Amino acid sequence: MFVIADNIQITRYRVEMAVKERNPEPIKQLAAQCREAGAQAIDINTGPLSRQGEEIMQFMVEAVQEACDLPVCLDTVNAKAMEAGLRAAKGPRPIINGISMQPEKLEGILPLAQNYDADLICFLLKPDGHVPKDADSRLALAVELTGILDEAGISRDRVVFDPLAVPLMWDDGGRQAVEVVETVRLLPEVLGFDARVMVGLSNLTTGRPPGPQRQLVEQTYLAMLGGAGLTWVLMNIFNPDTIATARAVGVLGSGGIFSWHF
Amino acid sequence: MFVIADNIQITRYRVEMAVKERNPEPIKQLAAQCREAGAQAIDINTGPLSRQGEEIMQFMVEAVQEACDLPVCLDTVNAKAMEAGLRAAKGPRPIINGISMQPEKLEGILPLAQNYDADLICFLLKPDGHVPKDADSRLALAVELTGILDEAGISRDRVVFDPLAVPLMWDDGGRQAVEVVETVRLLPEVLGFDARVMVGLSNLTTGRPPGPQRQLVEQTYLAMLGGAGLTWVLMNIFNPDTIATARAVGVLGSGGIFSWHF
């Protein structure tokens, strides 16, 4: 399983301060720690409301790249900030996080996916930005989005679908958790190609204080998703137990000669 | 998820001695501990070579039932011992563990399933007693066995399929682990009814010393199976972390209002 660290978010105090002071050191340190902890890519979340989006994204991408040579996952709804990130990305193929059927995404982000060589995370969100209610709606959105991406000339091997795990604390959180597993399972079959699928794991336990129960739910759900065919996960990389689960799922799901070294 | 304790095995010294001395106390104590730890049924494994099979099974069933009112899961290949257990079972519907396409099982155990009201675990073993190599072979055996059980008048809601998880240390253990998850996922669809499926979890890590890695693999695999639709698990009940995973899988897989109380 390919693991992306979600730890570099501007909403975290340490990151916010580093950005405010344009001091790359805390971000470099965090990126190095993410890599050390097992990250295979680093999400850079500049937040939705950032006014100097372009400059901030460029600053953050450069800081991360000074510390490590992992792909950067550019996490912003701001198309200009996204493009600044794509320009600044000098290492392995970056990741656009992301696109959806929302008109502003198709207008702002899709052209960037056409112009830059980047992987592309596709949220299975409805055009109005709402989360679909079940697996069928998610699958229908994936089919529609695949048509749009095909037409736009985006190669299918650059695409990663995100069926959107929602917080369990939502009224329908429990049902949605099941629908997301089902979506992960059915996506490659419904789309007719070996589609990659990602889930943002931290979303699941939003609003829940840290502790063994939250940890257990996170690990259990990750394994359930892994058993259904999940290939990527965006998660808090500083949770070694969940990383261990991601590795164990990778080994148990591979079907190869079993090795206890993971 | 319905959890059966696999801890009452005659191959364990404490149980062997209790049986040898016909002293029910250690078995009663163990059964009470299993219940306390979260068991919903108690497997009673009298071993394959027991000469006084009938008497031993009766003794063990009575001891367990003195200590708790859980269903007993009668685990023997000896048809006479199985019948003695069925006769001795006075509590909730017992479980026959089990039957398969092996001729001796169809001749010895199937008639008992017809004559006693018991749940019936069906191993997806080949007629020659070997483990099938993949999911397709397992599914084909399940279809064939269902035909035999239908003809014998065994109601489908009494049946529980066991696709046989094999030790990961086997040469093809890694591949088999994937095939078993696939079998769990496909069984209800292939059979066309809401078939219950069980896995014996301890088998997976056979030959591996206890420790955090074994624990992680057990929990991860249980969650993968749970995500694929596993409904029953036979396991070491004195492993609280795995019990917690079984409960978390149960809640995460239920699709109901999510509750953190599990």
Side-chain angles (χ1 to χ4, degrees), chain B residues 189-210:
Chain B
E189 193 182 321
V190 167
L191 293 175
F193 64 96
D194 199 13
R196 294 181 294 183
V197 195
M198 181 186 99
V199 160
L201 195 61
S202 301
N203 242 8
L204 190 76
T205 53
T206 292
R208 184 81 194 166

Short mmCIF file of all heavy atoms in Angstrom, two decimals, chain B residues 189-210:
data_model
loop_
_atom_site.label_atom_id
_atom_site.label_comp_id
_atom_site.label_asym_id
_atom_site.label_seq_id
_atom_site.Cartn_x
_atom_site.Cartn_y
_atom_site.Cartn_z
N GLU B 189 -22.72 -14.78 -2.93
CA GLU B 189 -23.15 -14.46 -4.29
C GLU B 189 -23.20 -15.73 -5.14
O GLU B 189 -24.16 -15.98 -5.87
CB GLU B 189 -22.14 -13.47 -4.88
CG GLU B 189 -22.57 -12.81 -6.16
CD GLU B 189 -21.48 -11.88 -6.68
OE1 GLU B 189 -20.84 -11.20 -5.85
OE2 GLU B 189 -21.26 -11.87 -7.91
N VAL B 190 -22.15 -16.55 -5.03
CA VAL B 190 -22.08 -17.77 -5.84
C VAL B 190 -23.17 -18.75 -5.42
O VAL B 190 -23.81 -19.40 -6.26
CB VAL B 190 -20.68 -18.41 -5.71
CG1 VAL B 190 -20.66 -19.82 -6.28
CG2 VAL B 190 -19.64 -17.55 -6.41
N LEU B 191 -23.42 -18.86 -4.12
CA LEU B 191 -24.42 -19.82 -3.64
C LEU B 191 -25.84 -19.29 -3.79
O LEU B 191 -26.79 -20.07 -3.81
CB LEU B 191 -24.15 -20.16 -2.17
CG LEU B 191 -22.85 -20.93 -1.91
CD1 LEU B 191 -22.63 -21.10 -0.41
CD2 LEU B 191 -22.88 -22.30 -2.60
N GLY B 192 -25.97 -17.99 -3.88
CA GLY B 192 -27.31 -17.42 -4.05
C GLY B 192 -28.12 -17.36 -2.76
O GLY B 192 -29.33 -17.20 -2.79
N PHE B 193 -27.46 -17.52 -1.64
CA PHE B 193 -28.16 -17.27 -0.37
C PHE B 193 -27.17 -16.68 0.63
O PHE B 193 -25.96 -16.68 0.40
CB PHE B 193 -28.86 -18.52 0.18
CG PHE B 193 -27.94 -19.65 0.56
CD1 PHE B 193 -27.51 -19.81 1.88
CD2 PHE B 193 -27.50 -20.57 -0.39
CE1 PHE B 193 -26.68 -20.87 2.24
CE2 PHE B 193 -26.67 -21.63 -0.04
CZ PHE B 193 -26.25 -21.78 1.27
N ASP B 194 -27.71 -16.18 1.72
CA ASP B 194 -26.92 -15.42 2.67
C ASP B 194 -26.07 -16.35 3.55
O ASP B 194 -26.26 -16.44 4.75
CB ASP B 194 -27.89 -14.60 3.53
CG ASP B 194 -27.18 -13.44 4.21
OD1 ASP B 194 -26.02 -13.16 3.83
OD2 ASP B 194 -27.77 -12.86 5.14
N ALA B 195 -25.14 -17.05 2.89
CA ALA B 195 -24.36 -18.08 3.57
C ALA B 195 -23.48 -17.48 4.66
O ALA B 195 -22.82 -16.47 4.46
CB ALA B 195 -23.50 -18.81 2.55
N ARG B 196 -23.45 -18.14 5.81
CA ARG B 196 -22.53 -17.74 6.87
C ARG B 196 -21.15 -18.33 6.59
O ARG B 196 -21.04 -19.43 6.05
CB ARG B 196 -23.04 -18.22 8.23
CG ARG B 196 -24.34 -17.54 8.63
CD ARG B 196 -24.81 -18.01 9.98
NE ARG B 196 -25.20 -19.42 9.97
CZ ARG B 196 -25.71 -20.06 11.02
NH1 ARG B 196 -25.87 -19.42 12.16
NH2 ARG B 196 -26.06 -21.32 10.93
N VAL B 197 -20.13 -17.57 6.93
CA VAL B 197 -18.76 -18.03 6.66
C VAL B 197 -17.89 -17.84 7.90
O VAL B 197 -17.93 -16.80 8.56
CB VAL B 197 -18.11 -17.25 5.49
CG1 VAL B 197 -16.87 -17.99 5.00
CG2 VAL B 197 -19.08 -17.06 4.35
N MET B 198 -17.11 -18.86 8.20
CA MET B 198 -16.24 -18.86 9.37
C MET B 198 -14.79 -19.11 8.96
O MET B 198 -14.54 -19.79 7.97
CB MET B 198 -16.67 -19.99 10.29
CG MET B 198 -15.84 -20.09 11.56
SD MET B 198 -16.28 -21.55 12.54
CE MET B 198 -14.95 -22.66 12.03
N VAL B 199 -13.87 -18.56 9.73
CA VAL B 199 -12.46 -18.91 9.53
C VAL B 199 -11.84 -19.28 10.88
O VAL B 199 -12.20 -18.68 11.90
CB VAL B 199 -11.69 -17.76 8.84
CG1 VAL B 199 -10.18 -17.87 9.05
CG2 VAL B 199 -11.99 -17.75 7.34
N GLY B 200 -10.98 -20.27 10.87
CA GLY B 200 -10.20 -20.61 12.06
C GLY B 200 -8.92 -19.79 12.02
O GLY B 200 -8.01 -20.07 11.25
N LEU B 201 -8.88 -18.74 12.84
CA LEU B 201 -7.83 -17.73 12.72
C LEU B 201 -6.47 -18.22 13.21
O LEU B 201 -5.44 -17.83 12.67
CB LEU B 201 -8.26 -16.48 13.48
CG LEU B 201 -7.48 -15.20 13.19
CD1 LEU B 201 -7.60 -14.79 11.74
CD2 LEU B 201 -7.97 -14.07 14.09
N SER B 202 -6.48 -19.08 14.22
CA SER B 202 -5.20 -19.50 14.81
C SER B 202 -4.32 -20.24 13.80
O SER B 202 -3.09 -20.22 13.90
CB SER B 202 -5.44 -20.39 16.04
OG SER B 202 -6.20 -19.71 17.00
N ASN B 203 -4.98 -20.89 12.86
CA ASN B 203 -4.26 -21.62 11.81
C ASN B 203 -3.25 -20.76 11.06
O ASN B 203 -2.18 -21.22 10.67
CB ASN B 203 -5.28 -22.11 10.78
CG ASN B 203 -5.30 -23.63 10.70
OD1 ASN B 203 -4.66 -24.29 11.52
ND2 ASN B 203 -6.01 -24.16 9.74
N LEU B 204 -3.64 -19.51 10.84
CA LEU B 204 -2.87 -18.60 10.01
C LEU B 204 -1.43 -18.45 10.49
O LEU B 204 -0.49 -18.45 9.70
CB LEU B 204 -3.56 -17.23 10.03
CG LEU B 204 -3.07 -16.18 9.06
CD1 LEU B 204 -3.57 -16.48 7.66
CD2 LEU B 204 -3.53 -14.79 9.48
N THR B 205 -1.28 -18.29 11.81
CA THR B 205 0.04 -17.96 12.35
C THR B 205 0.71 -19.17 13.00
O THR B 205 1.68 -19.02 13.76
CB THR B 205 -0.08 -16.80 13.37
OG1 THR B 205 -1.07 -17.17 14.33
CG2 THR B 205 -0.49 -15.52 12.69
N THR B 206 0.20 -20.36 12.69
CA THR B 206 0.81 -21.59 13.18
C THR B 206 2.31 -21.58 12.93
O THR B 206 2.75 -21.22 11.84
CB THR B 206 0.19 -22.80 12.44
OG1 THR B 206 -1.17 -22.90 12.85
CG2 THR B 206 0.91 -24.10 12.77
N GLY B 207 3.07 -21.95 13.96
CA GLY B 207 4.51 -22.06 13.79
C GLY B 207 5.25 -20.77 14.05
O GLY B 207 6.47 -20.72 13.99
N ARG B 208 4.50 -19.72 14.34
CA ARG B 208 5.11 -18.41 14.58
C ARG B 208 5.09 -18.12 16.08
O ARG B 208 4.05 -18.27 16.71
CB ARG B 208 4.28 -17.35 13.84
CG ARG B 208 4.84 -15.95 13.92
CD ARG B 208 5.93 -15.72 12.92
NE ARG B 208 6.66 -14.51 13.24
CZ ARG B 208 7.83 -14.19 12.71
NH1 ARG B 208 8.40 -14.97 11.83
NH2 ARG B 208 8.44 -13.08 13.04
N PRO B 209 6.20 -17.72 16.66
CA PRO B 209 6.17 -17.44 18.10
C PRO B 209 5.26 -16.25 18.41
O PRO B 209 5.11 -15.36 17.58
CB PRO B 209 7.63 -17.12 18.43
CG PRO B 209 8.27 -16.75 17.14
CD PRO B 209 7.53 -17.48 16.07
N PRO B 210 4.66 -16.27 19.61
CA PRO B 210 3.81 -15.13 19.99
C PRO B 210 4.64 -13.84 19.97
O PRO B 210 5.85 -13.89 20.18
CB PRO B 210 3.36 -15.46 21.42
CG PRO B 210 3.65 -16.90 21.62
CD PRO B 210 4.78 -17.26 20.70
#
